[in-house]
Amino acid sequence: MRALFILCGIAVELLGLGVAVRGHMERRQEPRPGAAGAAHGAGRP
Amino acid sequence: MNSPPLVTPFSDSTFALTFVLLLLAPLTIAGVALLNTGLGRSRSAAQSLLGCVTMVSVSAIAFAVVGVSFAGAPAHSITIAGKSWNWLGGAPLMLRHFGAMQPQGQLGVLFEFLAVGFAAIIPWGSGADRWRLPAGCAATAVLAGGVFPLVAHWVWADGWLAQLGASFGLGTGFLDGAGAASVHALGGLSALAVVWIAGSRKGKFPREGLATAMPGHNAVYILFGCLLALVGWLAWNAAGAILWLHAAPVTLVVTTLNTVLSASAALVATFTVTRTRFSKPDASMCANGWLAGLVTSSACAAFVTPFEAIAIGAVAGITAPLLVELLELALSIDDPSGAVSVHAAGGLWGLFVAGLFSHGHGQLLAQLVGIATLLGFVFPLVYLLFAIVNRIIPFRVEPDGERLGMDLYELGGGAYPEFVIHRDESYR
């Protein structure tokens, strides 16, 4: 039971990580930011 | 507040041996700094190497002023469901208690000083060619003053992860012999946060087609860095085994042998994989494979057999180049130094196999709890803190800085002023 709980926890975390990776991938397809956008982190239009 | 844990005092010879090993351990930092520099572009080489030195310095000061208080004992504990959870250290700020500590306690703090410097330079390599030096310093201060001490306390100062054995019967609690969790997994996951926040290098991921190849500028730095790192790693794993796993000095020969075997198997595996895939072995990938083997050994070199060390290293060596490709080509993660594949994945793999090959009942579950904590709590925490730092001190350099190179833009002069002509098709 304890092992199942831990494994389910890791599975949920990996799912979250997958969503995060996917979210950051979509940003990469957008045009590169200009100077103002770049100064506050990449990826914003 | 808990009392400091009781430990058996070191003999003079064990103290001297551990101290000498810790004097050699910084060679690892030197090796990885060279790797970081070699894997970046020539127009950012001086900024990269200066950055490594600066990160080590900033992390040492931040850890001495604030971090050492959270990392050490005595500790603040809370009781939940009848179990004591040791979350945070409560030692005095600014090392005021250092003189009164037992000698082995002082060695432990010294180990942590080196470990925090090492953890700090890992994300620096991933932010190469676009991460500004002031932002790197700020992020390092946060990492060294806040996040690293938390993990170090949980793992090495009888924190709740180390007490999983006593509290829940999970083996002997979470095991991290030489920083696979607190240095490599933390550093590698921080690298992923930096890459996501700073963004990819200009021209790396064009709107159409494959990712642009941006190879490292100096294979000699990269490969010499590997050899230098080995020397430090042998010392690091041996010192960690004495300090955190309470290994007897006579067992250190096996630990050292396992470290070499893990790295060697990883290199051979990466060599074979890259030669099979590209017809020729890839120097920088082989370096990453070698490093992945060393990272893996940080978790488990002290208690696996030599044959197991070869198998563990080989898996790390096969996985590292494939992960580098997957991250770059499929997941659009621009990680010049490969820290996510090498340090994060290698560290987590080492922690997993430490449980798998350990004979303690429930040890694998203890290791899985530690891995879950790193992925589910530590990584989001680092990302959040770095995102806040990015709001105050922007991570990414201005487009002009990226075009000119970090050396000219941030330092006013290049690393190779008389020998290199910059040419980059992506900036035309």
Side-chain angles (χ1 to χ4, degrees):
Chain A
M1 198 63 189
R2 210 157 45 182
L4 195 64
F5 176 75
I6 294 169
L7 289 175
C8 284
I10 291 180
V12 170
E13 287 177 359
L14 290 178
L15 202 61
L17 191 63
V19 171
V21 169
R22 178 77 186 142
H24 285 85
M25 272 178 67
E26 286 172 355
R27 289 184 184 184
R28 296 290 166 267
Q29 302 306 317
E30 294 167 0
R32 302 303 308 164
H40 290 284
R44 287 191 210 116
Chain B
M1 187 174 278
N2 290 346
S3 302
L6 293 172
V7 290
T8 312
F10 281 0
S11 66
D12 284 350
S13 57
T14 306
F15 179 88
L17 172 65
T18 313
F19 185 56
V20 170
L21 288 170
L22 289 177
L23 293 179
L24 289 172
L27 287 176
T28 306
I29 298 175
V32 172
L34 268 183
L35 265 157
N36 281 350
T37 304
L39 285 166
R41 287 190 281 195
S42 59
R43 59 185 172 212
S44 302
Q47 189 252 13
S48 174
L49 206 48
L50 174 66
C52 287
V53 181
T54 312
M55 297 309 141
V56 172
S57 309
V58 169
S59 65
I61 293 168
F63 188 69
V65 172
V66 183
V68 76
S69 168
F70 300 142
H76 295 291
S77 298
I78 53 173
T79 303
I80 301 174
K83 309 277 186 190
S84 175
W85 295 74
N86 180 346
W87 288 101
L88 193 64
L93 293 169
M94 291 188 268
L95 281 172
R96 288 202 305 273
H97 64 307
F98 193 71
M101 288 177 79
Q102 288 188 344
Q104 61 266 42
Q106 293 182 338
L107 286 177
V109 172
L110 179 58
F111 187 100
E112 288 173 342
F113 262 92
L114 301 175
V116 74
F118 195 178
I121 66 167
I122 292 170
W124 181 247
S126 296
D129 302 321
R130 77 276 205 201
W131 196 12
R132 295 168 63 240
L133 200 47
C137 292
T140 294
V142 168
L143 197 68
V147 185
F148 172 85
L150 271 186
V151 182
H153 181 76
W154 296 345
V155 176
W156 290 330
D158 273 346
W160 69 274
L161 281 176
Q163 288 179 347
L164 284 174
S167 305
F168 296 96
L170 300 182
T172 52
F174 183 70
L175 290 176
D176 178 14
S182 52
V183 176
H184 301 290
L186 173 62
L189 292 172
S190 304
L192 181 56
V194 167
V195 168
W196 277 348
I197 292 169
S200 57
R201 288 171 290 181
K202 185 173 168 59
K204 179 69 185 174
F205 299 113
R207 288 180 66 83
E208 292 172 4
L210 288 173
T212 310
M214 293 180 176
H217 84 281
N218 194 323
V220 178
Y221 285 1
I222 296 168
L223 295 171
F224 182 67
C226 285
L227 293 172
L228 208 56
L230 172 69
V231 181
W233 228 289
L234 299 178
W236 205 290
N237 282 356
I242 295 174
L243 281 168
W244 313 123
L245 303 176
H246 311 297
V250 291
T251 64
L252 297 183
V253 180
V254 178
T255 303
T256 305
L257 185 66
N258 286 342
T259 306
V260 175
L261 285 176
S262 182
S264 305
L267 177 79
V268 170
T270 309
F271 188 99
T272 308
V273 167
T274 53
R275 193 178 187 286
T276 307
R277 286 179 61 79
F278 314 123
S279 303
K280 290 177 182 175
D282 183 299
S284 64
M285 287 281 198
C286 285
N288 272 340
W290 169 265
L291 212 59
L294 288 172
V295 168
T296 306
S297 76
S298 287
C300 56
F303 46 82
V304 295
T305 64
F307 177 74
E308 288 166 350
I310 292 175
I312 292 164
V315 172
I318 292 168
T319 315
L322 299 179
L323 259 181
V324 167
E325 273 192 72
L326 176 78
L327 262 55
E328 180 168 321
L329 300 180
L331 305 181
S332 308
I333 293 171
D334 181 15
D335 178 7
S337 70
V340 181
S341 313
V342 171
H343 294 277
L348 295 175
W349 166 244
L351 293 169
F352 175 74
V353 292
L356 198 64
F357 289 112
S358 168
H359 302 296
H361 176 70
Q363 189 61 50
L364 182 58
L365 285 182
Q367 298 302 107
L368 287 174
V369 171
I371 290 169
T373 306
L374 288 162
L375 287 174
F377 179 77
V378 175
F379 176 52
L381 176 67
V382 170
Y383 187 93
L384 177 70
L385 292 172
F386 280 10
I388 293 170
V389 172
N390 181 49
R391 286 279 169 189
I392 302 164
I393 307 174
F395 274 21
R396 195 183 179 90
V397 72
E398 303 287 329
D400 254 6
E402 216 178 338
R403 185 176 56 80
L404 289 171
M406 302 301 283
D407 285 359
L408 277 179
Y409 193 76
E410 290 213 306
L411 308 183
Y416 318 100
E418 296 174 15
F419 303 107
V420 174
I421 298 168
H422 301 299
R423 183 182 172 87
D424 190 332
E425 299 297 330
S426 64
Y427 289 102
R428 289 193 155 189

